[in-house]
Amino acid sequence: MTRPTLPPAWRWGFPAFALVVVGWAAHLLVSGLGTVLDTRRGETREAVTDPRAPGFEAFVEQTWSILLATEDSDGELVQVAVVAASDRGGSGGTVLLVPGELPVRVDGRSDGCSEAACDLATHHRVDGLAGVRRAVATVLDVEVTGATLLTPDRWSSLAGAVDPVAVDLPGDLVNTADDGTSVVRFPAGTTPILAAEVVDFFAHVGVVGGADHMDRQRDWWRAWLESVGSGDPSGNLPVLDLDVVHLLETVAGGRVRVPAGPWMGAADGPTVDRARLTDLVVAMFPVPIPRAPGLRPTVRLLNGTGDHSTDVAAREAVLRAGVELVVVGNYRTEGAIQTRVLYRDPAHLGDAEVLAATIGGGVLFDELLSPVTDLTVVIGSDFRPGG
């Protein structure tokens, strides 16, 4: 049986048609790809990987921080410290001590501490570590990455690798028994504090030789982190795969700050110097974690000058406006003259005006602005740190 022969139009026309279709599809693909790469809408071009090159942008990494709450052998709170790394590269960090006597009112509480401010020690008695963390976040208006409870045994392990730590005491620290007898617990002068004595040292209250217990705690932290940072920090801390150990290793490996806190008034009833606290928090948390995510306008911060010596000042100026920093980088071109705040949604005009007033810049509407954040800040040569 013979197969039917196809007409010449089908035998030669169909393959030719198929070739035309394939060729046209290839042309459309190349043309479309070129259009996408060349378009300026959304400013999407090729990836820029050099942090100092025009057009570089990156999502920020929020500041690594831990709240350390120390209990004595009776379970009472004797110290609160917030430790924050400058970055994860070992360039140092900050330790901020918060007095346990500080009164803090936390919204949403049902145990009486929402109507009347309870001190941190009371928050600890009621809700433990979670209560202290919530109260400190309220004070700083910043959340921490994590929180850790340290007992006398845990401090012995944590501080034992560089045991003891010498602290200069301006006077004797004396323990007085119930029967009135007294004994010198820590003598005046350069006194070695053993790892097993750290919590007792923290717990000793009162003014001695003109210094109160917060002064002594700061002196111990400075001396201890200096000891940990001498040589290899990892060898001066216990070999434990714990976040607190890794953070302390990172902080001790660089420049360490243990500042005097913004606490005013008597030791048994301190208040907060808000201006000083804002300065400390902005310096301590390069990229803070919002205490209430989603309530602040998000910001993309771009350097338009090519001069990166103002990067830190620009970041701090933006954070003082109470925004959430999400993206940092460089504007697509250098040589920007005017600092400006751009917005694409008219609903964010008010936020843009507030931010512009804080950093000293203008406001500009741009419907083609990147939708990654609510606002975009372009730093120009007119930017002046401090306003």
Side-chain angles (χ1 to χ4, degrees), residues 170-193:
D172 293 337
L173 299 184
V174 178
N175 285 352
T176 303
D178 293 337
D179 60 5
T181 58
S182 298
V183 60
V184 175
R185 181 67 179 88
F186 300 101
T190 302
T191 303
I193 309 298

Side-chain angles (χ1 to χ4, degrees), residues 19-362:
L19 288 174
V20 171
V21 171
V22 170
W24 183 247
H27 168 73
L28 291 177
L29 177 62
V30 173
S31 176
L33 182 60
T35 300
V36 170
L37 292 178
D38 289 338
T39 183
R40 298 182 63 86
R41 295 181 65 89
E43 302 304 326
T44 300
R45 291 177 175 271
E46 61 184 36
V48 179
T49 58
D50 182 357
R52 292 185 172 271
F56 172 83
E57 295 184 31
F59 285 98
V60 298
E61 184 176 38
Q62 292 173 321
T63 301
W64 187 16
S65 59
I66 291 182
L67 181 145
L68 303 179
T70 299
E71 288 181 348
D72 63 13
S73 56
D74 295 325
E76 290 295 316
L77 185 71
V78 298
Q79 187 188 82
V80 177
V82 179
V83 184
S86 299
D87 56 49
R88 291 182 180 263
S91 60
T94 304
V95 179
L96 177 64
L97 300 178
V98 185
E101 302 84 7
L102 183 69
V104 183
R105 180 179 289 106
V106 177
D107 295 335
R109 296 288 298 273
S110 59
D111 54 13
C113 285
S114 58
E115 292 79 14
C118 298
D119 61 20
L120 293 182
T122 301
H123 285 289
H124 172 261
R125 293 188 193 102
V126 174
D127 283 332
L129 181 62
V132 177
R133 177 175 181 171
R134 185 164 48 244
V136 170
T138 300
V139 173
L140 303 183
D141 199 24
V142 168
E143 186 55 85
V144 291
T145 309
T148 298
L149 181 66
L150 296 176
T151 61
D153 288 341
R154 291 172 183 172
W155 263 119
S156 293
S157 173
L158 189 61
V162 290
D163 187 34
V165 172
V167 176
D168 291 327
L169 297 178
D172 293 337
L173 299 184
V174 178
N175 285 352
T176 303
D178 293 337
D179 60 5
T181 58
S182 298
V183 60
V184 175
R185 181 67 179 88
F186 300 101
T190 302
T191 303
I193 309 298
L194 299 173
E197 300 174 325
V198 169
V199 174
D200 285 345
F201 183 74
F202 289 166
H204 217 290
V205 298
V207 177
V208 178
D212 66 13
H213 68 290
M214 293 290 288
D215 296 324
R216 296 191 294 271
Q217 290 180 9
R218 280 193 297 270
D219 290 343
W220 183 90
W221 271 96
R222 288 167 180 157
W224 181 55
L225 288 176
E226 182 179 357
S227 297
V228 172
S230 62
D232 180 10
S234 63
N236 295 326
L237 289 167
V239 184
L240 297 172
D241 188 19
L242 297 176
D243 206 34
V244 61
V245 174
H246 299 317
L247 175 59
L248 289 169
E249 176 184 333
T250 299
V251 171
R255 179 175 177 266
V256 179
R257 297 175 63 247
V258 190
W263 325 119
M264 306 181 299
D268 59 349
T271 57
V272 181
D273 180 339
R274 286 292 169 185
R276 169 71 174 150
L277 178 62
T278 298
D279 290 340
L280 278 173
V281 170
V282 167
M284 185 175 178
F285 296 89
V287 185
I289 303 173
R291 184 166 64 92
L295 298 183
R296 299 179 177 186
T298 56
V299 168
R300 170 175 167 244
L301 175 61
L302 305 179
N303 187 332
T305 67
D307 177 9
H308 294 277
S309 64
T310 60
D311 283 349
V312 173
R315 174 185 56 77
E316 292 183 351
V318 166
L319 290 177
R320 288 178 187 278
V323 300
E324 181 180 350
L325 188 59
V326 176
V327 175
V328 295
N330 307 316
Y331 194 52
R332 63 175 179 265
T333 58
E334 297 178 351
I337 297 175
Q338 183 186 22
T339 297
R340 54 194 185 275
V341 180
L342 296 86
Y343 67 100
R344 67 192 299 270
D345 185 344
H348 292 297
L349 172 59
D351 296 327
E353 291 175 336
V354 171
L355 180 54
T358 302
I359 66 175

